[in-house]
Amino acid sequence: MKFKKSEIQMIGVLCTLTLLAAMNSVIFNVAMPSISTDLSISPAMASWISVGYTSIIAVGAVTYGKLSESYSVRKLLIYGVLLFSIGSIIGFIGYKSYAIILVGRVIQASGGASFVTLAMVAINQYIPTKMQGNALAFISIAIALALGIGPLLGGIITTYLGWRYLFVFMLGSMGLIIFLLKLFPNEKERAVKEPIDYLGGFLIFLVIILFLLGVNVSSPLLVLAVLTYSILLSWERKRTHPFIKVKLLKNNSFVSLICIGFVINACHLATLFILPLLFADYYQLGPNIVGCIFFLACIFSVLSSIVTRKKLTKENSTLIFYLAVASLLVGFSGLLLLWNVSFMAICFSFIFIAIGYSPIQIVLNMLVPTTLDKNDIGTGLGLYNVLNFVGMAFGPALMSKLLTDSTHYSFGFGLCILMTLGNVYLISIFKKKQKGSV
């Protein structure tokens, strides 16, 4: 069975949107040393230009997932593109002010949050069931490509134009509106729409922000994050139409998979954050060279994605997962032992990390929808992407805190090893539940 021409075009648009959203999470990473210097701020403060973006993306992911159950995907994506572009303009114009840059990034994220979640929802709605696995694999490839192209473009643009022009590049998303209007069906929206649980959404946002501030700024805020989470669960249980369906959190198969997504994204984005600082401090390399290194690793990541897409079945998914985890462990171990020994050793280690990251993402994109009821697809995929993006924010936030307290990079790489080993336990929970349900 092959894709129809219209389906190929639709997947192309969804992959492009996903590419831009994921790229925008990392494109500023290689510019952090320049931003810190130009704005006279600490690396920890500069990290919030990326962390803040990803935090809003996380909350927006479940919001758009919830809205997709009442509103058309086409309308939501168009609104998302408009917000994404407005935020880019604000960031470009106000580049001399740290506060205005953060406002621009928040508005960018408010639109970009729609891209990945609604791409997955659209595939589940518009692509035939037998072809959904392949379509979701293309989304994973787009994310892998973004994590390589983002630092490369970020390095080139920062070196030759200045980091403010990173905002201009994202305005290209405006050109996709015409394809959204042409290719996506103008569905009739529900006559009776579910009321939106605004307080539930606000509490989720508060939990994420308090959690990240607790990691990055003040650890007592972690206690407030836990208390707020308890209030959120109590509130959601009482709602007829909750923002997050509590029953999803009781689905152990689903929870174990989305936690794996959190861990791999935290470790990968932590590495993307810490390596530019390491290369600048220890090896005196500029952002353009660092971007080229990341792009080289990206090529290997895309190749591993292509191989995984061709070989992956539900039966061999755990084998592919374990092989990918082994590759990650080799990479992080190399960084732990050799970060101050050899520049080439760092490059080879990062290639192993890139090779291991993408197959896990593809496996998760295939397995997560299988743990959800049809009526929970929108909210479930939204929650899955929340954990992905919170992981993307958590990794850099934790690493910037570690580097503030100690300049020893080994702590960060050692922590990534421990977190990756935790994924082995999480996948065992999923396997056990799946066997029990057969």
Side-chain angles (χ1 to χ4, degrees), residues 236-251:
E236 296 296 83
R237 288 192 183 101
K238 298 174 183 177
R239 299 290 294 174
T240 306
H241 302 289
F243 199 83
I244 289 182
K245 297 174 182 176
V246 177
K247 71 174 185 178
L248 292 177
L249 302 179
K250 297 178 181 179
N251 181 342

Side-chain angles (χ1 to χ4, degrees), residues 65-67 69-71 190-198 239-245 375-376 379:
K66 185 72 175 175
L67 289 173
E69 296 174 357
S70 300
Y71 297 90
R190 284 189 182 182
V192 179
K193 299 179 175 67
E194 289 188 3
I196 298 175
D197 178 15
Y198 292 105
R239 299 290 294 174
T240 306
H241 302 289
F243 199 83
I244 289 182
K245 297 174 182 176
N375 292 334
D376 297 331
T379 304

Side-chain angles (χ1 to χ4, degrees), residues 56-366:
I56 301 299
I57 284 273
V59 179
V62 72
T63 303
Y64 282 107
K66 185 72 175 175
L67 289 173
S68 70
E69 296 174 357
S70 300
Y71 297 90
S72 73
V73 169
R74 183 175 81 160
K75 178 181 287 187
L76 292 173
L77 282 173
I78 290 172
Y79 285 142
V81 169
L82 291 173
L83 284 171
F84 191 70
S85 302
I86 291 169
S88 300
I89 293 170
I90 291 173
F92 177 72
I93 294 173
Y95 75 100
K96 291 184 179 180
S97 167
Y98 176 67
I100 294 176
I101 289 171
L102 287 182
V103 169
R105 291 289 279 171
V106 165
I107 296 174
Q108 259 192 340
S110 300
S114 67
F115 297 170
V116 180
T117 296
L118 293 182
M120 298 179 74
V121 171
I123 286 171
N124 277 278
Q125 286 185 0
Y126 305 136
I127 304 299
T129 303
K130 291 184 178 179
M131 302 302 294
Q132 287 177 6
N134 283 335
L136 289 170
F138 284 120
I139 297 295
S140 298
I141 291 172
I143 293 173
L145 199 58
L147 298 182
I149 292 178
L152 175 65
L153 284 175
I156 293 172
I157 292 171
T158 300
T159 300
Y160 297 106
L161 295 175
W163 55 265
R164 67 181 291 210
Y165 285 90
L166 298 175
F167 287 103
V168 174
F169 180 78
M170 293 300 157
L171 289 173
S173 61
M174 288 290 290
L176 294 173
I177 290 179
I178 187 171
F179 296 103
L180 290 171
L181 291 170
K182 179 181 178 181
L183 297 172
F184 286 71
N186 187 20
E187 299 170 311
K188 289 184 178 179
E189 298 171 358
R190 284 189 182 182
V192 179
K193 299 179 175 67
E194 289 188 3
I196 298 175
D197 178 15
Y198 292 105
L199 180 58
F202 173 73
L203 288 172
I204 292 171
F205 173 74
L206 203 56
V207 169
I208 293 171
I209 293 300
L210 288 172
F211 172 66
L212 294 173
L213 286 173
V215 170
N216 186 255
V217 179
S218 176
S219 53
L221 291 174
L222 292 172
V223 178
L224 284 177
V226 173
L227 290 174
T228 306
Y229 180 71
S230 301
I231 294 170
L232 169 65
L233 290 183
S234 177
W235 171 258
E236 296 296 83
R237 288 192 183 101
K238 298 174 183 177
R239 299 290 294 174
T240 306
H241 302 289
F243 199 83
I244 289 182
K245 297 174 182 176
V246 177
K247 71 174 185 178
L248 292 177
L249 302 179
K250 297 178 181 179
N251 181 342
N252 289 337
S253 295
F254 172 71
V255 170
S256 63
L257 292 179
I258 65 174
C259 285
I260 290 171
F262 170 86
V263 170
I264 64 164
N265 282 293
C267 291
H268 198 62
L269 268 292
T271 309
L272 290 176
F273 175 80
I274 203 171
L275 286 184
L277 298 174
L278 170 60
F279 284 138
D281 292 344
Y282 207 84
Y283 294 96
Q284 288 75 53
L285 295 178
N288 55 333
I289 302 298
V290 176
C292 289
I293 294 168
F294 283 178
F295 182 69
L296 176 63
C298 166
I299 294 173
F300 285 92
S301 182
V302 171
L303 290 174
S304 72
S305 299
I306 293 171
V307 172
T308 302
R309 184 180 69 84
K310 290 182 177 180
K311 301 293 183 181
L312 179 64
T313 63
K314 193 171 182 180
E315 289 71 27
N316 68 8
S317 58
T318 51
L319 173 61
I320 290 175
F321 177 88
Y322 286 129
L323 290 173
V325 167
S327 182
L328 289 175
L329 289 173
V330 169
F332 287 126
S333 298
L335 291 179
L336 174 67
L337 299 173
L338 303 171
W339 69 268
N340 59 349
V341 175
S342 167
F343 162 72
M344 290 303 297
I346 294 175
C347 294
F348 280 115
S349 297
F350 185 60
I351 286 172
F352 274 101
I353 293 169
I355 289 172
Y357 171 79
S358 296
I360 295 178
Q361 198 75 59
I362 291 175
V363 169
L364 292 178
N365 285 352
M366 183 190 78

